[in-house]
């Protein structure tokens, strides 16, 4: 029996409460909704981190941030842990990655295990030509989503009838700044607001945090509308990929996974983009899996799961050697795992500094952000409660059943609950050896550094 193909579709900065299949009031994801109805939707999927580099490392290694040690203060994965792409390659899979996010690159060590890795970037004249062609073809620009799909579908057509494959596809369509072609760019804007007017709303999170630009309720509502427009376009491109799998005759032979590395702050708690915090707006992510051989259609599961559980799920399904999974801290997801063994809590971590912001705005007074300087956070989340411990300022406890928006810190009158959760964190920390922090920096070339600066990561 042929092993299934495995495709992970990762939509950067996707928050599930803006997907219509997760209950959003706008019909933003009709095509993803169909995929969800054909498989399983995880209601409480939690990322291990609030931004790209550490969360991807967790996805590929099945380990938490403290264990793999890749974050702001250590930017390079040195291959000290088994990875999902490498394990699948050893199991006879073709392994291919498609991405245009520089944090997933040779420079950070995260291409380890991929036989083929396509960095969808263009420079110089080639970039201008592709932009011109896409402007004409798409009726406006996108965030290179069409180009990624073009490469992915071409690869599928070339490899559909051969050995089983593992494909990782990373889309940046929901990442600031937004590039949305018509007609999607006005789909959820107020009738009297043009895309040109909406796109003038600030899309630079560093300018917002530095106090260069003020954003109030009106601006954040416009940001939410643009986010939903971009998500609707992303959904349209997911349909293209789905249809290609169907046309190639391999859809039902493919474990098809849709998820994200983190969410996005859209004014929640006064935050923007994916900086500084560990609220659910940043760590709760979509997780949808379609595989008719093992998953009945129309399942919704409210178990607490984490994105690092994907590797051990794949490992159990394929019966990968124990050596591949010996370091994993994940658990196989419910359709594939032991029904008596499941998570009672999730863990998410954040290592943060203000270096990039200071470099970009050396003359600005950033005293209002001092609590985030060299801050380390950890969040433990059960179905009912969530505790966020911060190195630099007050801890926060939320009753998620009564206060899903995490607006009311109840720690002062619920000290016992906080103590119990903190003891669980201590037990969790004692269960493994944390990676050392060596200050390694990714060796990006100048072009990459400029791209990351434009996205707000580097100063």
């Amino acid at each position: 029996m042929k092993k299934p193909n495995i495709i992970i579709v990762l939509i950067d900065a996707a928050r599930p409460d803006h997907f219509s299949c997760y209950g959003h009031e706008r019909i933003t994801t009709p095509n993803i909704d169909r995929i969800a109805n054909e498989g399983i939707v995880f209601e409480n999927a939690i990322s291990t981190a609030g931004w790209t580099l550490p969360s991807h490392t967790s996805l590929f290694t099945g380990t938490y941030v403290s264990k793999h040690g890749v974050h702001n203060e250590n930017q390079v994965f040195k291959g000290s842990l088994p990875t999902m792409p490498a394990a699948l390659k050893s199991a006879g899979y073709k392994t291919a990655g498609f991405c245009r996010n520089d944090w997933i690159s040779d420079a950070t060590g995260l291409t380890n295990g991929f036989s083929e890795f396509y960095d969808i970037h263009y420079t110089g004249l080639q970039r201008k030509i592709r932009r011109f062609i896409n402007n004409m073809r798409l009726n406006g620009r996108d965030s290179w989503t069409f180009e990624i799909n073009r490469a992915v579908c071409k690869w599928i057509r070339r490899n559909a009838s051969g050995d089983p494959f593992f494909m990782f596809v990373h889309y940046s369509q929901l990442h600031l700044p937004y590039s949305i072609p018509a007609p999607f760019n006005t789909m959820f804007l107020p009738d009297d607001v043009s895309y040109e007017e909406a796109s003038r709303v600030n899309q630079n999170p560093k300018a917002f945090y530095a106090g260069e630009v003020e954003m109030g309720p009106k601006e954040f509502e416009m940001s939410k509308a643009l986010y939903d427009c971009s998500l609707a376009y992303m959904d349209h491109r997911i349909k293209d990929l789905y249809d290609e799998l169907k046309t190639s005759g391999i859809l039902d032979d493919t474990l098809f996974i849709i998820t994200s590395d983190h969410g996005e702050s859209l004014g929640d708690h006064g935050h923007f983009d994916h900086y500084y915090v560990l609220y659910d707006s940043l760590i709760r992510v979509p997780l949808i899996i379609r595989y008719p051989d093992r998953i009945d259609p129309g399942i919704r599961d409210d178990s607490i799961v984490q994105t690092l559980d994907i590797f051990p799920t794949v490992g159990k399904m394929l019966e990968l050697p124990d050596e591949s999974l010996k370091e994993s801290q994940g658990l196989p997801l419910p359709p594939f795992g032991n029904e008596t063994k499941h998570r009672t809590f999730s863990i998410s971590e954040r290592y943060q500094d203000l270096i990039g912001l200071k470099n970009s705005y050396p003359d600005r007074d950033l005293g209002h952000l001092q609590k985030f300087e060299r801050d380390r956070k950890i969040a433990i989340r059960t179905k009912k409660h969530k505790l966020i411990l911060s190195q630099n300022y007050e801890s926060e406890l939320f009753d998620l059943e009564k206060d899903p928006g995490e607006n009311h810190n109840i720690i002062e009158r619920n000290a016992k609950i906080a103590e119990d959760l903190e003891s669980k964190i201590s037990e969790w920390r004692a269960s493994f050896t944390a990676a050392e922090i060596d200050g390694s920096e990714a060796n990006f070339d100048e072009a990459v550094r400029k791209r990351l600066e434009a996205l707000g990561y580097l100063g």
Side-chain angles (χ1 to χ4, degrees):
M1 181 179 178
K2 183 181 175 182
K3 296 176 181 177
N5 304 306
I6 301 165
I7 298 179
I8 296 178
V9 171
L10 191 140
I11 307 171
D12 198 315
R15 47 187 290 175
D17 60 342
H18 280 250
F19 285 51
S20 40
C21 57
Y22 279 89
H24 192 38
E25 59 188 13
R26 293 168 171 161
I27 306 301
T28 51
T29 54
N31 297 296
I32 294 175
D33 296 354
R34 179 176 65 172
I35 297 170
N37 289 334
E38 294 172 352
I40 185 169
V41 175
F42 291 95
E43 305 276 8
N44 289 302
I46 309 297
S47 178
T48 61
W51 71 289
T52 298
L53 178 63
S55 60
H56 275 80
T57 312
S58 290
L59 173 69
F60 290 158
T61 64
T63 62
Y64 287 102
V65 179
S66 287
K67 182 168 181 174
H68 64 63
V70 182
H71 43 72
N72 296 67
E73 300 176 43
N74 284 344
Q75 295 180 355
V76 182
F77 174 65
K78 299 181 177 64
S80 55
L81 297 166
T83 68
M84 178 164 42
L88 290 171
K89 184 178 179 181
S90 296
Y93 274 70
K94 297 177 183 177
T95 55
F98 299 81
C99 182
R100 68 173 310 274
N101 188 310
D102 296 297
W103 290 116
I104 304 98
S105 64
D106 291 343
T108 60
L110 290 186
T111 56
N112 175 41
F114 286 101
S115 304
E116 304 172 55
F117 198 87
Y118 298 87
D119 180 8
I120 313 295
H121 278 111
Y122 302 101
T123 58
L125 180 60
Q126 186 186 35
R127 179 183 178 88
K128 291 179 181 178
I129 292 171
R130 296 309 315 172
R131 277 294 195 197
F132 176 78
I133 292 173
N134 284 351
N135 256 329
M136 300 296 290
R137 179 188 283 136
L138 303 176
N139 197 15
R141 296 178 178 178
D142 69 0
S143 297
W144 298 106
T145 301
F146 175 83
E147 289 293 319
I148 291 173
N149 261 21
R150 192 167 72 102
V152 167
C153 291
K154 183 178 178 180
W155 194 95
I156 289 172
R157 288 192 289 271
R158 210 169 55 235
N159 292 277
S161 61
D163 294 333
F165 63 80
F166 166 68
M167 177 183 286
F168 171 74
V169 189
H170 180 285
Y171 295 103
S172 296
Q173 185 61 45
L174 300 187
H175 200 295
L176 290 169
Y178 301 123
S179 294
I180 316 164
F184 299 92
N185 57 354
T186 59
M187 186 174 287
F188 299 114
L189 298 182
D191 292 339
D192 59 345
V193 176
S194 68
Y195 178 64
E196 290 71 22
E197 181 182 352
S199 63
R200 288 195 291 270
V201 171
N202 176 54
Q203 296 187 37
N204 181 346
K206 293 169 79 173
F208 167 74
Y209 280 106
E212 287 279 299
V213 177
E214 291 187 5
M215 295 181 71
K218 181 179 178 180
E219 288 76 20
F220 282 125
E221 283 305 312
M222 201 66 71
S223 293
K224 290 176 184 178
L226 289 172
Y227 182 91
D228 286 350
C229 290
S230 196
L231 178 55
Y233 173 69
M234 181 72 257
D235 177 77
H236 175 66
R237 291 302 171 203
I238 294 290
K239 179 182 183 299
D240 291 345
L241 176 55
Y242 179 95
D243 288 348
E244 181 62 47
L245 293 170
K246 194 170 185 178
T247 300
S248 298
I250 60 172
L251 176 62
D252 288 346
D253 299 323
T254 299
L255 180 71
F256 192 78
I257 302 170
I258 298 173
T259 190
S260 185
D261 49 352
H262 56 76
E264 187 81 335
S265 294
L266 296 167
D268 315 78
H269 302 89
H271 285 276
F272 191 39
D273 198 60
H274 38 277
Y275 282 49
Y276 306 132
V277 297
L278 287 176
Y279 298 121
D280 271 14
S281 53
L282 281 197
I283 64 169
R284 184 170 171 252
V285 294
L287 180 56
I288 298 164
I289 304 180
R290 182 193 189 279
Y291 184 43
D293 186 60
R294 294 286 298 274
I295 299 173
D296 293 330
I299 299 174
R300 303 191 76 93
D301 190 300
D302 68 351
S303 306
I304 295 176
V305 300
Q306 298 213 246
T307 47
L308 60 78
D309 296 331
I310 293 173
F311 184 13
T313 298
V314 169
K316 182 176 178 61
M317 185 178 71
L318 299 180
E319 298 181 347
L320 294 178
D322 292 342
E323 187 72 16
S324 299
L325 297 165
K326 68 176 183 178
E327 299 290 348
S328 172
Q329 294 172 293
L331 293 171
L333 292 165
F336 304 93
N338 185 339
E339 293 183 0
T340 63
K341 189 175 183 181
H342 54 84
R343 293 189 176 282
T344 56
F345 61 83
S346 66
I347 294 286
S348 305
E349 300 171 85
R350 182 125 212 175
Y351 295 66
Q352 192 68 59
D353 58 49
L354 301 178
I355 293 172
L357 201 58
K358 287 180 175 179
N359 289 342
S360 296
Y361 297 93
D363 299 324
R364 296 290 299 188
D365 179 5
L366 301 178
H368 62 292
L369 298 175
Q370 197 58 41
K371 63 186 179 182
F372 300 125
E373 178 73 306
R374 307 293 291 180
D375 187 34
R376 296 182 186 174
K377 286 187 179 66
I378 186 165
I380 181 169
R381 187 188 190 283
T382 67
K383 283 188 180 180
K384 182 168 177 56
H385 291 108
K386 180 173 175 185
L387 175 69
I388 304 175
L389 297 181
S390 172
Q391 181 174 281
N392 288 356
Y393 63 107
E394 66 175 353
S395 298
E396 298 173 284
L397 177 68
F398 301 103
D399 185 329
L400 297 176
E401 292 180 350
K402 297 178 180 177
D403 178 28
E406 299 166 282
N407 295 309
H408 306 288
N409 184 3
I410 61 170
I411 196 165
E412 288 189 4
R413 58 184 185 275
N414 292 276
K416 181 64 169 62
I417 295 173
E419 288 172 8
D420 290 345
L421 292 172
E422 192 166 355
S423 70
K424 291 182 186 297
I425 293 175
S426 297
E427 292 172 6
W428 169 81
R429 282 177 167 151
S431 67
F432 63 96
T433 301
E436 294 183 5
I437 296 176
D438 60 16
S440 60
E441 294 186 4
N443 186 24
F444 295 123
D445 62 32
E446 188 59 27
V448 172
R449 291 193 67 84
K450 286 181 178 179
R451 288 198 295 264
L452 289 173
E453 286 173 10
L455 291 172
Y457 286 112
L458 302 178

